[in-house]
Amino acid sequence: MQASDRVPTAHRTIGHWRAVPGPLLCALAGIVAWQSTAALEPDESAPMLGFNATAALEQRALERRFDSDLSAAELREWLQSMSSAPNQVGSAHDEANARFMLQRFRDWGWDANIESFSVLYPTPKQVSLQMIAPTHYVARLKEPVVPGDESSGRLAAGLPPYNVYGADGDVTGELVYVNFGMPEDYRELERRGISVTGKLVIVRYGGGWRGLKPKLAYEHGAIGCLIYSDPRADGYFQGDVYPRGAWRPADGVQRGSVADITLYSGDPLTPNIGATADAPRLSLAEAKTLLKIPVLPISYADAQPLLAALGGPVAPEGWRGALPITYHLGAGPTRVHLHIESDWSRKTIYDVIAKLNGSELPDEWIVRGNHHDGWVLGAGDPLSGNVDMMAEAKAIGALVKGGWRPRRTLIYASWDGEEPGLIGSTEWAETHARELQAHAVLYVNSDENARGFLDAGGSHSLERLVTEVAADVHDPQTPGSVLARLRARLRVAGYEGGDGRAQSNAETQALARGAASGADLTLAALGSGSDYSAFLQHLGIATLDLSYGGEDEQAGVYHSDYDSYEHFMRFGDPGLAYGIAEAQTVGHLVLRVADAGILPLQFTDMAGVYAGYVHELHELADERRARSATLHELLEAHAFELATDPTRAVGPPAAESEVPFLDFAPLDNAIVRLERSAKAYDAAYSSASHGGLVLNAARRSELDAQLQQLEQALTSERGLPGRPWYHHLIYAPGMLTGYGAKTLPGVREAIEGRRWDEAGAYIVTTARALEVYCDRLEASTALLRP
Ligand SMILES: [Zn+2]
């Protein structure tokens, strides 16, 4: 999965460039005028975190040897064969792909195995949807073969469109249109006197995570939920539809999981433990992540007659999509009958795990993963990223055959069962939790990869490392590095007023300033939606998620039959040039962490980012306080009643409690100390580097051990309020955003949810974690000093 709603970002000096031939450009010939000019190569003498000047030269030479083994033709061959049949959990081709990779990893010199888990994965047995009033319509619920896309005719082993982990049910009732189905949408309906109790809702994709839509519908009393793809989001409103263009055709459907991953990811029956054959399991009734009502994803061809027949008030302007109808809210007179029955048996999933032992520090592990299961063919999501990871493994294998060996241990993993709920990665991380917490120094994730800009998210102690790596990777379409291109884009976005990727104009401007000044890249905070979750948020392992995208047109086939090889080669990453860029980016980064003298972490950037998060909390509380006070005044003055059009009355919003002043002092103080400790470490690191990082081996390994444990200081065993599986106190998926991240979630979500005691308690808990982090960081600084 992985929705592209994150914020990519940039900064810092680009280095000097000189011309060399650029073979990658050929793949995209004709797109940009300077394709015919030579590509440029980065400065050999630019500083490299964790390496002295001589070692950096050797490392860049190693990276060139690594690059020489990467082949777009090979990526293409793997992508085509691995996406040639449906790859969902439990399908024969998904297992065959795992076995294919197992063999390749072994051929390439890795110690590879398959680790299997037995997980709950319901599949549809019977699905039907009809409108029974005011007219009759039987929903097609099928994605037809598309001319020119041979793959879309090879789907006999696939499943029909469905939302995994929705409940079985046979329900009939009036329909209500609830826009995105988010909390504010229900508040608007309430003000119009429209209830969804005992009714079915129809909701459009977008505006929040898929799984929250039926969950919130259930909490508001609905008995069933239909989720449709409005053409405004990813159909003809965006561009020509497939096969003429890339966008979602009328019958295209977005499948997807509705398991409540904001509580925990992985197998719904085995939270906190690996889903091995003999693991104790919850009953279906006990599994809190399973949905309680039936839910079905449908196409806009099937949604249109249902929506067109709705009566009631016309939908507010912001609720209207791009269908050629007037959008009404209901309830009724549209009545629908929805029937879903599933096979609730467990299925086997296959994680491919390949290991290469480190020569000097075998107990320090770098874990690298991408999933291999798809919803149907999965060419874009996930195989485009998976084949890049395979290319890295092959090139690393070739280095080993040439006599090189990583200092630290590498573990490459191709996960199964990501689509239903990050299952393969979560079950593996839970099974090996203790070893991972003792040994893993980094987890690097990727998922779908496509043409465009570097999109980097993760632990903020890794910003300098990512920036340095990005400065040394050629952009396939322009003469500079992928870093230079990203910075240019952020600066232009600042001038033009944002490109929709940042959360706010203030953020866009901050990113533009950072890019202009040459500061380190700002990593996006990670929420959920791909396999990093268990590593970062459950185990507290420093994590990165790296991909390219933003110039592709994959959104219209996301999780549908049409996410095919044919579509991807036209609209995802023609020539797979960005597949090569991805393999270089992640590969170089993995090699640098593997061979660095000291783990390449820096903390000044991180302290600045965290200070920004705390500042946001102050602003959030102040803004809520002012708004609640204003609302109170308006209600007192009966302003809403006086201002509304009496012929189309909209009632006043519900009253809100007053917002008290919170004591942020513990967090404010912790941030001041973090900023000081971070500067001290980075300064000590810099002097040690100038001295050639000549710490003795014992000192270095003691320092590494300290640094390896750092991220875990940011976790709490008790976890976040109401969701103890999520241990990280800085990054979590939002309870009401799903994939989108909430930073300092214990405090932020308590303020948003007006739970003031909880906010106060998590200010203290989070501050204490930051203080422990500072203790360890200061101990690390002491080890760096002579
Ligand atoms: Zn994916």
Side-chain angles (χ1 to χ4, degrees), residues 19 65 83 99 104 115 121 313 317 320 329-330 346 469 502 531 551 570 596 602 665 725:
R65 279 192 281 146
S83 66
R99 303 214 174 276
R104 294 290 84 72
E115 261 187 77
Y121 182 76
E317 189 164 340
R320 302 172 200 163
L329 300 175
R346 299 208 309 253
V469 168
D531 288 304
E551 293 181 319
R570 280 178 70 193
Q602 295 280 275
W725 188 87

Side-chain angles (χ1 to χ4, degrees), residues 223-236:
I223 56 172
C225 179
L226 305 173
I227 313 178
Y228 84 101
S229 299
D230 196 282
R232 189 179 182 99
D234 58 17
Y236 54 73

Side-chain angles (χ1 to χ4, degrees), residues 40-184:
L40 298 160
E41 192 173 87
D43 182 2
E44 288 287 316
S45 61
M48 189 186 284
L49 207 53
F51 297 83
N52 63 30
T54 324
L57 277 176
E58 283 170 26
Q59 192 67 15
R60 285 199 170 89
L62 182 78
E63 289 171 3
R64 275 196 298 275
R65 279 192 281 146
F66 170 91
D67 291 352
S68 69
D69 198 66
L70 304 175
S71 146
E74 215 156 42
L75 292 184
R76 188 184 176 115
E77 192 185 307
W78 294 333
L79 185 65
Q80 188 164 20
S81 75
M82 294 179 79
S83 66
S84 62
N87 292 319
Q88 76 277 6
V89 165
S91 66
H93 194 62
D94 185 44
E95 184 186 348
N97 279 343
R99 303 214 174 276
F100 168 75
M101 284 186 279
L102 176 66
Q103 199 48 55
R104 294 290 84 72
F105 277 118
R106 286 177 176 168
D107 295 345
W108 299 332
W110 293 71
D111 176 12
N113 282 293
I114 284 182
E115 261 187 77
S116 292
F117 299 98
S118 175
V119 305
L120 181 70
Y121 182 76
T123 50
K125 280 199 303 200
Q126 194 190 333
V127 178
S128 68
L129 170 68
Q130 290 154 48
M131 173 163 65
I132 54 172
T135 54
H136 205 258
Y137 174 77
V138 180
R140 296 201 284 263
L141 311 180
K142 260 204 181 93
E143 301 184 278
V145 177
V146 156
D149 186 319
E150 212 189 295
S151 301
S152 70
R154 267 190 267 115
L155 301 177
L159 294 171
Y162 82 116
N163 287 127
V164 68
Y165 303 122
D168 282 359
D170 189 345
V171 292
T172 303
E174 282 185 320
L175 196 64
V176 182
Y177 175 54
V178 300
N179 191 29
F180 295 123
M182 293 293 117
E184 60 273 19

Side-chain angles (χ1 to χ4, degrees), residues 1-2 371 373 381-382 418-419 447-448 529-530 559:
M1 40 184 153
Q2 190 154 69
H371 71 104
D373 65 302
D381 179 9
E418 189 267 2
E419 292 298 356
D447 201 322
E448 175 156 15
S530 195
H559 290 185

Side-chain angles (χ1 to χ4, degrees), residues 241-385:
V241 303
Y242 197 52
R244 183 168 171 213
W247 296 89
R248 199 176 296 276
D251 290 301
V253 182
Q254 181 191 142
R255 292 158 182 77
S257 178
V258 292
D260 191 356
I261 55 164
T262 63
L263 294 179
Y264 56 88
S265 65
D267 176 22
L269 304 185
T270 61
N272 299 306
I273 56 168
T276 49
D278 53 356
R281 284 176 165 77
L282 302 177
S283 67
L284 291 181
E286 289 167 323
K288 286 204 189 102
T289 57
L290 298 176
L291 197 73
K292 305 288 194 297
I293 55 172
V295 52
L296 187 67
I298 61 174
S299 67
Y300 55 87
D302 278 337
Q304 186 171 332
L306 278 46
L307 288 167
L310 278 177
V314 171
E317 189 164 340
W319 290 37
R320 302 172 200 163
L323 288 171
I325 59 168
T326 301
Y327 286 70
H328 288 260
L329 300 175
T334 308
R335 283 177 67 78
V336 294
H337 174 204
L338 172 66
H339 182 194
I340 299 178
E341 264 179 61
S342 310
D343 163 6
W344 287 84
S345 64
R346 299 208 309 253
K347 313 290 187 296
T348 305
I349 59 168
Y350 305 90
D351 287 346
V352 186
I353 309 291
K355 203 168 173 183
L356 199 55
N357 267 320
S359 57
E360 291 171 45
L361 301 165
D363 290 336
E364 295 184 27
W365 302 352
I366 298 151
V367 186
R368 159 79 175 111
N370 195 107
H371 71 104
H372 65 80
D373 65 302
W375 272 107
V376 191
L377 300 163
D381 179 9
L383 294 169
S384 61

